[in-house]
């Protein structure tokens, strides 16, 4: 599968505070489902968050939970 999300297995989301996402399809026939590969690079420490979910909204909700947990750990 060709992707613009990675180069040699490394995320292309390198600018802190940015997100990248790409839709892809898995399965065959009636079992085909669309998913989103989502990457987000945190602006505070440059840490990468990466997830696959059926919708972009779910990806962003998971990212927000991840960011909240990180913030709580810093306190």
């Amino acid at each position: 599968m060709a992707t613009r999300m990675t180069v040699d297995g490394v995320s292309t989301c390198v600018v802190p505070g940015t997100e990248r996402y790409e839709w892809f399809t898995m399965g065959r026939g009636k079992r085909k489902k669309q998913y989103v590969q989502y990457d987000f690079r945190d602006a505070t420490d440059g840490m990468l968050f990466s997830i696959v979910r059926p919708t972009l909204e779910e990806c962003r909700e998971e990212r927000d939970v991840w960011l909240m947990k990180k913030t709580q750990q810093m306190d």
Side-chain angles (χ1 to χ4, degrees), residues 9-55:
V10 178
S11 176
T12 58
C13 184
V14 294
V15 178
T18 61
E19 64 179 18
R20 291 185 61 103
Y21 55 89
E22 182 173 57
W23 293 92
F24 66 95
T25 304
M26 286 184 61
R28 293 182 184 194
K30 293 182 180 181
R31 295 183 181 205
K32 274 188 180 178
K33 291 193 176 189
Q34 265 202 320
Y35 294 94
V36 180
Q37 165 68 42
Y38 178 87
D39 287 355
F40 172 78
R41 181 76 60 182
D42 189 9
T44 58
D45 61 4
M47 187 176 254
L48 179 68
F49 173 80
S50 185
I51 195 166
V52 174
R53 290 288 184 265
T55 67

